[in-house]
Amino acid sequence: MERNDYHYFRRREQDERAYAERAQDMTARRAHLDMAERYAERVRTLAPAVPNAI
């Protein structure tokens, strides 16, 4: 399950960064970047537990 979680959170981080790039409203952009950082933190916590995570 952790491997699936890793890939899920990694994909969500990438999605949120893409949404931030397309957002015209600065508040929306900041919200997407904040979510991306939250997903990135989850990825960092899972990465050591997932062999060949990258």
Side-chain angles (χ1 to χ4, degrees):
M1 187 66 171
E2 286 181 356
R3 185 172 177 83
N4 290 339
D5 290 346
Y6 172 87
H7 291 290
Y8 171 79
F9 291 126
R10 182 77 173 116
R11 178 64 191 172
R12 292 298 299 134
E13 176 194 357
Q14 293 169 345
D15 289 345
E16 289 298 332
R17 291 191 190 285
Y19 298 149
E21 285 182 28
R22 293 192 300 265
Q24 295 180 4
D25 179 79
M26 291 306 290
T27 302
R29 182 173 296 190
R30 182 75 250 156
H32 287 298
L33 289 174
D34 287 345
M35 287 301 299
E37 284 304 313
R38 290 178 188 185
Y39 285 123
E41 180 59 31
R42 296 296 299 268
V43 168
R44 285 189 291 272
T45 62
L46 289 171
V50 179
N52 301 318
I54 299 172

